[in-house]
Amino acid sequence: MPSFNRTPTTFVKASHSAWCSSLPLNSGAAQAPPPHICARINAQIVSNPALARPLFDFAEHVRSRVYVIRKFVFRDFESSILLDEGVERMLPEIFQPPCATPHHTFEIGDAGNKGQGMFAVRDLPAGTLILVEHPVIVAPYLVGLNVPLSDIYASLFDRLPYEIRVKLSQLYAGTHRSLEDTVHLNALGIQLEVPDVPRPELTTHRAVFLNTSRCNHSCGPNARWEWDTSTFSLYLSAVRPIMKGDEITIHYTSCTSPRQERQSTLQNQFDFICQCSYCNLPSEDAVRQSDNIRVALGQFWTILPLFEEWCIDPNLPDDMLIELHLEALRMIKQEGLQVLDGERHVDAIAMCYGALADTKMFRAWIERVREAKGNSDPARALVFATWLSNPTSFPAWGWKKTFCGRNEYPAHLGMRRRYTLQDML
């Protein structure tokens, strides 16, 4: 998440509990949906690993929901929000101000057969913060009300200020799509905290943004977005250099799935067939190679030996982890998957050279770590500077040489699993 430049200004959350009293927001007394609808929705939710609800029961979900509609008023923006009342209570009473929105980074323009898109108006180095914005509409991923979704979204839309309604309507102007379609096709899945109660709301919620919802999909996106509940804001950043005039893209589905799975998901959920350069490959052999690389990257961290196991196991070669992480970085570059956080591999390589007590290579890779992370955290920057000037001060210095063959872990750091560079700070 980009660092926040806090200001004394606070953004107050405005509550209007009777704001939309024409909608029946308590579903507890409502008739349960027909069994065939419950079965279909149950299958959709259970089969989606991102939702993490393997025992989901839609009928019980509906009976457990009480919703509230709120208008969140920020300094220069208003949002229309439909939430489960338990989720709404979990939100901060006062949102922190987000960092300042960057200027002159993008424009919305014609993206050909993809409709509108977002384009860079200047060169954007990797890590550049492109925009910060609040959502215009937020609603549960699955609304458990006996009210047509079109009515619900229309109620949220109608309460927005006129100028925001005009901009939002441009997302579907000139198409055959309804407001309901527009929300489902343009919303991003943000995560909100839910209370620890029986049959809780899904953590995933649909959020529509005036600008980020214009970003088109790529299976090798050049930007990533991150959600921060404390500011009720989305942050969009470049994950690799973006040249002036290039389209700014994000991903709508898992980039580590094979092409056929990605295409099927995009067509079923977003009504288009991806034609990005990472899908439009010249041969079936190229597709198979790309699929194999993406699946391997998706499984990388689950099958990788633990750093501490590598340190103590004499059967694991000194360069094993380093070569694996270097290969991962090569595959990330080939497939345009910098969104997978290549910095984590750079961190790991630096740790390995520290454990090998290789002063030259440790300094080289710690310098790369410091450049990637910047100087936003003065305390962390000081630690990196100390390690560069005195590598032996690195907590894991020489572990591979010291503990190899002992079958024991470094006692001073306990039995923590999967050490990361953050553990050493």
Side-chain angles (χ1 to χ4, degrees):
M1 173 67 61
S3 60
F4 291 7
N5 296 322
R6 304 293 191 189
T7 69
T9 307
T10 57
F11 294 167
V12 180
K13 181 179 68 178
S15 297
H16 299 278
S17 59
W19 190 50
C20 195
S21 58
S22 60
L23 285 179
L25 301 183
N26 186 339
S27 63
Q31 183 179 358
H36 71 281
I37 293 180
C38 289
R40 175 173 57 83
I41 293 178
N42 289 341
Q44 291 174 350
I45 301 301
V46 169
S47 64
N48 189 337
L51 299 177
R53 294 292 288 274
L55 302 177
F56 184 79
D57 185 324
F58 184 52
E60 290 298 324
H61 181 82
V62 169
R63 283 192 283 266
S64 304
R65 302 276 72 78
V66 177
Y67 294 99
V68 294
I69 293 183
R70 297 286 186 258
K71 178 166 65 176
F72 291 177
V73 180
F74 302 95
R75 181 167 53 192
D76 56 356
F77 198 79
E78 294 183 14
S79 303
S80 295
I81 314 294
L82 172 71
L83 292 176
D84 175 90
E85 65 173 2
V87 175
E88 197 271 343
R89 286 196 297 266
M90 302 289 289
L91 294 176
E93 286 299 320
I94 296 177
F95 293 118
Q96 297 295 322
C99 63
T101 300
H103 296 291
H104 196 60
T105 56
F106 73 92
E107 64 182 2
I108 304 300
D110 183 14
N113 60 7
K114 295 183 290 186
Q116 297 288 294
M118 180 183 290
F119 296 86
V121 297
R122 60 178 173 87
D123 291 348
L124 303 173
T128 299
L129 181 61
I130 300 170
L131 69 82
V132 181
E133 68 174 330
H134 301 295
V136 62
I137 287 178
V138 176
Y141 181 85
L142 187 63
V143 179
L145 285 175
N146 287 336
V147 178
L149 282 175
S150 57
D151 291 351
I152 295 171
Y153 292 135
S155 295
L156 293 172
F157 179 86
D158 289 344
R159 305 299 180 173
L160 292 167
Y162 173 77
E163 61 275 12
I164 294 180
R165 295 203 309 272
V166 170
K167 292 180 180 179
L168 180 59
S169 65
Q170 292 171 357
L171 286 173
Y172 61 97
T175 73
H176 64 280
R177 296 189 175 111
S178 65
L179 178 60
E180 177 184 343
D181 292 335
T182 300
V183 170
H184 285 188
L185 293 174
N186 290 278
L188 300 176
I190 65 170
Q191 301 297 313
L192 297 178
E193 189 176 359
V194 302
D196 185 12
V197 296
R199 298 178 293 280
E201 177 63 279
L202 298 173
T203 58
T204 300
H205 289 69
R206 301 181 193 270
V208 179
F209 299 84
L210 293 181
N211 291 310
T212 309
S213 290
R214 291 286 193 183
C215 287
N216 288 310
H217 166 85
S218 171
C219 295
N222 55 21
R224 74 152 62 93
W225 63 270
E226 296 177 276
W227 170 254
D228 177 46
T229 301
S230 69
T231 61
F232 216 69
S233 302
L234 174 147
Y235 293 75
L236 182 69
S237 303
V239 296
R240 62 173 180 266
I242 303 174
M243 299 298 103
K244 179 180 179 180
D246 286 353
E247 185 174 6
I248 298 170
T249 57
I250 59 177
H251 64 95
Y252 297 175
T253 188
S254 171
C255 289
T256 57
S257 298
R259 185 181 72 165
Q260 184 175 353
E261 289 185 22
R262 302 195 308 270
Q263 295 278 18
S264 177
T265 298
L266 292 169
Q267 187 168 18
N268 292 335
Q269 295 186 12
F270 300 97
D271 196 28
F272 73 90
I273 297 176
C274 183
Q275 297 294 331
C276 75
S277 60
Y278 301 97
C279 283
N280 192 18
L281 297 173
S283 67
E284 288 302 315
D285 285 343
V287 171
R288 281 192 292 272
Q289 181 184 25
S290 174
D291 286 350
N292 290 338
I293 288 175
R294 287 170 181 264
V295 170
L297 287 171
Q299 299 173 345
F300 184 88
W301 294 100
T302 61
I303 63 177
L304 185 76
L306 297 173
F307 171 77
E308 54 269 34
E309 290 177 350
W310 169 74
C311 286
I312 69 174
D313 190 342
N315 296 314
L316 299 181
D318 286 0
D319 64 350
M320 176 184 175
L321 289 187
I322 294 172
E323 291 300 321
L324 288 173
H325 286 292
L326 287 172
E327 177 64 8
L329 288 173
R330 184 194 68 77
M331 293 190 295
I332 285 172
K333 182 177 181 180
Q334 177 176 326
E335 293 295 315
L337 291 179
Q338 290 82 0
V339 71
L340 295 183
D341 194 3
E343 291 180 13
R344 191 176 176 190
H345 295 285
V346 175
D347 289 356
I349 293 170
M351 287 178 60
C352 289
Y353 279 121
L356 292 170
D358 186 327
T359 300
K360 179 180 178 180
M361 295 304 294
F362 175 75
R363 280 177 166 152
W365 284 89
I366 283 294
E367 184 60 42
R368 284 189 59 174
V369 171
R370 184 168 71 166
E371 290 175 358
K373 297 186 184 300
N375 296 315
S376 57
D377 185 337
R380 185 172 60 186
L382 179 60
V383 172
F384 290 151
T386 301
W387 290 348
L388 284 168
S389 63
N390 179 20
T392 61
S393 65
F394 179 64
W397 187 257
W399 276 15
K400 180 67 171 171
K401 296 180 179 296
T402 303
F403 295 99
C404 187
R406 292 190 182 184
N407 199 31
E408 63 182 38
Y409 291 99
H412 64 288
L413 284 183
M415 291 295 292
R416 293 179 65 178
R417 309 296 290 175
R418 187 71 72 187
Y419 286 116
T420 67
L421 195 63
Q422 183 65 32
D423 296 323
M424 308 294 164
L425 294 174

